[in-house]
Amino acid sequence: MISDIDSTISLHLNNEAQFLCFTLTSDGNNDAELYGINIFKIREIIHYDGDVTETVGGNEGMMLGFLTIRGESVPLIDVGRWLYYDARMPNRDLSTSSVQSDKNLVIVCEFSGYVVGLKIFAIKRIVHKSWGEISVGDKQGFDAGGKVSAITRFEQERVIQILDVEKMLVETFPAIQELDFLKTQFVEAVQSDKTIFIAEDSQVAMKNLEKIVESLHLKYETFPNGDELLKRLFSDNMIDEVGAVITDLEMPVVSGFEVLKRIKADARTKHLPVIVNSSMSSESNKQLADSLHADGFVIKSHPHEIQELLQGYLKK
């Protein structure tokens, strides 16, 4: 979606974001729900006219089957079914919420080390916003069971609901989270009385980070965006109590890039280790994190990498 690394870095330095806005039904009367995905998690958009290898699950499944894209087998998730899915009712019939389209319009996403296809109805357009124009998802009644991580205005009175695709991934494939939790059982405690600050807008990613830091026997505080973390850090004499910051990159209100930039630009906090934890491993993100003097870059909340980084920095 972004043509080159320089334009990607420029977008982040200006504390801005881009989202692909789409619908799951026809929007002929401008009355369809609008959804969004950060473009940095999107590899391509295709009309898929090949065979879909169906999987076991029937009407209760969120995954429709597998696509073959240039020789790669990619699971296809029906976004409408996922939004209707409720873990408390695992046998619920999801077929009535399926995206009703004869054509398979698919957003191919790559994040957290996985590639998945998302079936949608139609693309609206790419929306360019500053992170200050994006609100935390549950503040205006758009929580949708924790599946919406943020919201922003589209045009007039319409709202785009930014989906928590990490949550979509683990709800469709629960074994992923079970494996992540299992990995936390094999990390060693870090001896420190310092508090770890964590900023993350995805509930699933936050839960993983909490489990990791708890397994390290460290104190921590969590924040749904960079703004709340920075306010807490620079108030109540907290700076001396904090041992390290772990932050996501793409967050509403204030992004992780802005968190990193402000901490490293302030004489009071420039010594504070900042570890970027991201589901996106693009070269542009790594380059920008390096240019802003990040002290570590971890993909997909890897427990042992976080342990090694924290152990090294908290001993200093």
Side-chain angles (χ1 to χ4, degrees):
M1 286 295 180
I2 296 294
S3 58
D4 55 57
I5 289 177
D6 288 339
S7 60
T8 306
I9 290 176
S10 175
L11 194 68
H12 285 315
L13 286 175
N14 292 322
N15 201 35
E16 296 174 334
Q18 287 184 339
F19 300 95
L20 180 71
C21 180
F22 61 90
T23 67
L24 302 179
T25 59
S26 173
D27 194 33
N29 297 318
N30 293 328
D31 56 357
E33 297 270 7
L34 300 178
Y35 301 97
I37 294 177
N38 192 296
I39 61 168
F40 295 111
K41 295 178 181 177
I42 297 173
R43 193 167 76 179
E44 60 184 316
I45 302 167
I46 61 173
H47 273 104
Y48 185 78
D49 56 6
D51 294 331
V52 177
T53 304
E54 295 184 3
T55 57
V56 176
N59 293 335
E60 297 81 30
M62 291 169 276
M63 192 175 94
L64 302 177
F66 286 91
L67 313 178
T68 302
I69 302 175
R70 290 183 291 279
E72 181 180 14
S73 184
V74 176
L76 178 63
I77 300 171
D78 188 308
V79 179
R81 289 191 177 204
W82 171 65
L83 285 171
Y84 190 61
Y85 169 77
D86 188 331
R88 296 167 297 183
M89 295 180 281
N91 297 320
R92 187 181 194 177
D93 186 343
L94 305 177
S95 60
T96 57
S97 299
S98 298
V99 174
Q100 301 298 322
S101 174
D102 294 334
K103 297 180 179 179
N104 280 322
L105 179 57
V106 179
I107 304 173
V108 182
C109 296
E110 185 170 6
F111 58 93
S112 298
Y114 299 95
V115 178
V116 295
L118 309 182
K119 182 176 180 178
I120 63 169
F121 187 85
I123 300 291
K124 292 295 287 184
R125 67 169 185 256
I126 293 176
V127 177
H128 190 119
K129 295 282 184 178
S130 73
W131 282 108
E133 297 176 279
I134 300 165
S135 303
V136 178
D138 61 358
K139 288 192 173 180
Q140 297 185 31
F142 286 87
D143 180 59
K147 300 183 180 187
V148 174
S149 62
I151 58 174
T152 191
R153 291 291 172 186
F154 179 67
E155 56 188 18
Q156 298 176 347
E157 297 302 314
R158 302 186 77 185
V159 170
I160 302 172
Q161 302 173 67
I162 312 301
L163 299 180
D164 185 345
V165 290
E166 284 86 359
K167 186 177 181 69
M168 182 190 301
L169 190 67
V170 300
E171 286 192 335
T172 306
F173 308 105
I176 291 174
Q177 191 163 44
E178 292 171 8
L179 179 59
D180 288 340
F181 285 169
L182 181 62
K183 290 177 182 177
T184 65
Q185 306 305 310
F186 298 95
V187 294
E188 298 178 2
V190 174
Q191 302 301 318
S192 175
D193 59 357
K194 295 286 188 177
T195 300
I196 309 303
F197 273 14
I198 305 172
E200 173 61 65
D201 66 321
S202 166
Q203 292 184 17
V204 167
M206 179 65 84
K207 190 173 182 181
N208 286 342
L209 287 169
E210 288 176 347
K211 291 287 289 184
I212 293 169
V213 177
E214 286 171 3
S215 297
L216 297 174
H217 297 179
L218 292 170
K219 296 181 293 184
Y220 64 90
E221 293 186 24
T222 62
F223 308 90
N225 58 70
D227 183 55
E228 293 192 22
L229 183 147
L230 290 170
K231 286 178 180 176
R232 175 68 169 148
L233 179 63
F234 290 107
S235 67
D236 303 324
N237 300 314
M238 278 303 299
I239 292 174
D240 291 338
E241 302 297 321
V242 180
V245 170
I246 302 174
T247 181
D248 186 19
L249 295 178
E250 309 289 339
M251 294 184 292
V253 189
V254 170
S255 73
F257 292 107
E258 186 68 14
V259 168
L260 181 54
K261 185 165 65 172
R262 290 191 199 177
I263 288 175
K264 293 303 181 181
D266 194 302
R268 297 168 296 170
T269 54
K270 64 181 182 180
H271 67 282
L272 190 63
V274 180
I275 299 168
V276 172
N277 180 74
S278 177
S279 62
M280 298 176 291
S281 59
S282 70
E283 191 60 32
S284 59
N285 285 329
K286 290 180 180 179
Q287 284 189 15
L288 182 53
D290 287 342
S291 72
L292 295 174
H293 308 293
D295 299 281
F297 193 103
V298 179
I299 300 170
K300 195 180 168 277
S301 305
H302 195 284
H304 290 286
E305 290 182 22
I306 292 175
Q307 175 202 347
E308 289 176 5
L309 287 167
L310 289 178
Q311 197 154 30
Y313 289 121
L314 293 177
K315 281 183 176 180
K316 293 181 180 179

